[in-house]
Every structure is written in C-alpha cells, then in structure tokens.
C-alpha cells in the first residue's frame, strides 16, 4: 500500500489486484468473469484495509500445548454498499469478513445534472459501535460518496473508510473537500472524467458490467 500525491489516499498496488483490474477493464471481459474478478479483488482489498484491526490475546489449547494466541478484538465491522455496484465488493469482502454486518445506501445520479438522490438507507442499529467500510467500485464525481458519507455520519459510526476500485482525481478532490477525515483506499487513480461523468480510461459502467444490464 502506498500513499499518493493526494493526502489521505492509499493506493493498493498488490500485483494480483493490478492484474485482475486490467482484465476487468477490458471491454471484452464477460459479466461472469467481471463479477468473479470483482469478488477476488474485493477480498484482497479487505485484506489490505483491515491491516490496522486491533488484536488481543486469548489463552487456547492446541492438540500439543497451551498458548496465548492473537485474535481480533471486537470484530465490529459493517460493510456499507452504495447500491448497486457496491454490492459486488460486499459479496467479495464477506468471504473473508464473514461476520461483518452489512448496510445499504441507495443513491442514483440524475443522468443530466449528476445530482445525487437517496432512495434507500438501512444500516445496523448498533452502527455507533462499529467501524464502517463504505464501498463503491467507482469514485467518479464523488457526489455519491460524499452524500453517502454525510448520511452515514448522521448515524455516528466509530469510523469510516471509503474503499473503491478506481478513483478519478475529481472525485478524490471532492471527497477531500467535504470529508477530509475519511481515508480513501483505491486500486488505481485514473486520468479524468469524461463529459458523462465516466472515469477515463476506467472500466465503463460498473453496475452494468457487474449485473449484465447493458
Ligand atoms: N460509475 C461507473 O460505473 N463508471 C464510471 O466510470 C463512473 C461512474
């Protein structure tokens, strides 16, 4: 994991992630393959972003001897998916964080104005005792991420990290302006947004590619 020129943005450069991301970007990659790769990358992202989870020591007995062994303390994570493409990341992360709780935020971008509208919000009741990993494959304009974080902050979680696959500089700047306290983790920072708000070179519409809706 390396810091970028943007404060508070960590680039996850693991070779497996970079390789899988390249295949996801290719226009000819099928929905089936795209979905599987997103799950695999999400497991690796979860591995990286949970590096700072606190451990405590418990006394256990192995078949051979007693020992004091490390275990995660509390394990109070909630994965919050920005619908709908965030769901692809949640599905992967749950494979290595099987006890995590899951929340959902439904937002859509008005195609012309790119203004964000919330249509669904459900998170665990005890979220104030939990650390949130807020996930969306694409940090594009930043409007959805910013709105999702605003909404989440109203529920007072212990902490929030934003995790994506691809980020555009425009989205990063927007997040940093509105939520400088929320660290961003991404597998790549691309060049810019096009006039439709798509990340260039990007991978297209993550939701359409994940669910095969185009
Ligand atoms: N959302 C996507 O799915 N793709 C982009 O490039 C930008 C936003």
């Amino acid at each position: 994991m390396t810091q970028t020129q943007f404060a508070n943005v960590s680039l996850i450069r693991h070779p497996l992630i970079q390789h899988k991301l390249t295949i996801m970007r290719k226009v000819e990659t099928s929905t089936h393959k795209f979905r599987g790769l997103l799950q695999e990358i999400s497991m690796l992202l979860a591995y990286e972003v949970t590096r700072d989870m606190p451990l405590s020591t418990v006394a256990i007995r192995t078949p051979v001897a007693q020992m004091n062994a490390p275990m995660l303390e509390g394990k109070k994570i909630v994965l919050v998916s920005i619908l709908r493409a965030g769901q692809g990341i949640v599905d992967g992360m749950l494979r290595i964080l099987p006890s995590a709780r899951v929340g959902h935020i439904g937002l859509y971008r008005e195609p012309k104005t790119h203004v964000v509208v919330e249509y669904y919000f459900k998170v665990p009741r005890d979220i104030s005792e939990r650390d949130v990993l807020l996930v969306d494959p694409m940090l594009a304009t930043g409007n959805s991420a910013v709105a999702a974080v605003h909404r989440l902050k109203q529920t007072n979680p212990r902490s929030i990290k934003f995790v994506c696959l691809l980020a555009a500089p425009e989205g990063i700047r927007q997040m940093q302006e509105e939520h400088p306290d929320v660290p961003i983790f991404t597998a790549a920072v691309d060049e810019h947004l096009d006039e439709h708000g798509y990340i260039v070179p990007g991978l297209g519409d993550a939701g359409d590619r994940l669910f095969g809706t185009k």
Side-chain angles (χ1 to χ4, degrees):
M1 195 147 47
T2 53
Q3 280 305 123
T4 61
Q5 82 264 32
F6 301 99
N8 230 5
V9 179
S10 301
L11 196 55
I12 301 176
R13 281 192 203 268
H14 193 290
L16 288 174
I17 294 180
Q18 296 304 320
H19 175 84
K20 290 172 193 292
L21 178 56
T22 297
I23 302 171
M24 288 181 75
R25 287 181 188 272
K26 288 180 169 182
V27 66
E28 67 269 25
T29 297
S30 67
T31 293
H32 175 224
K33 187 101 193 168
F34 187 94
R35 196 178 286 154
L37 288 164
L38 183 56
Q39 280 215 4
E40 291 170 15
I41 291 185
S42 301
M43 285 191 265
L44 297 165
L45 291 175
Y47 172 83
E48 291 284 354
V49 303
T50 52
R51 271 181 189 281
D52 59 352
M53 280 177 86
L55 291 170
S56 58
T57 304
V58 294
I60 62 160
R61 182 194 291 276
T62 76
V64 179
Q66 297 257 17
M67 73 174 286
N68 292 322
M71 280 193 82
L72 290 173
E73 209 174 64
K75 299 187 233 173
K76 294 245 178 187
I77 285 194
V78 52
L79 306 175
V80 179
S81 152
I82 300 181
L83 297 174
R84 66 191 160 136
Q87 203 50 39
I89 296 187
V90 165
D91 290 346
M93 287 190 167
L94 279 174
R95 298 183 70 172
I96 64 161
L97 295 166
S99 305
R101 301 295 195 265
V102 178
H104 296 94
I105 304 183
L107 301 167
Y108 67 88
R109 287 193 304 173
E110 283 288 357
K112 288 220 171 80
T113 59
H114 301 168
V115 168
V116 176
V117 181
E118 178 186 314
Y119 64 89
Y120 188 77
F121 185 82
K122 187 88 178 177
V123 295
R125 217 178 291 168
D126 62 353
I127 195 166
S128 61
E129 295 158 32
R130 292 182 178 274
D131 297 305
V132 169
L133 298 181
L134 175 64
V135 301
D136 190 346
M138 313 299 270
L139 178 61
T141 60
N143 292 346
S144 305
V146 164
V149 174
H150 270 306
R151 189 66 179 84
L152 271 176
K153 282 182 174 174
Q154 292 168 6
T155 66
N156 204 25
R158 217 159 42 181
S159 69
I160 303 175
K161 289 175 180 166
F162 182 79
V163 186
C164 60
L165 211 51
L166 291 184
E170 295 89 331
I172 291 174
R173 278 189 217 106
Q174 164 95 332
M175 270 290 276
Q176 286 179 328
E177 247 165 58
E178 303 275 341
H179 301 293
D181 53 320
V182 175
I184 297 169
F185 297 83
T186 184
V189 178
D190 274 11
E191 289 164 19
H192 59 92
L193 296 180
D194 72 11
E195 66 277 23
H196 306 291
Y198 281 97
I199 296 178
V200 181
L203 50 69
D205 186 303
D208 279 340
R209 297 203 62 190
L210 177 63
F211 297 110
T213 43
K214 196 139 195 182

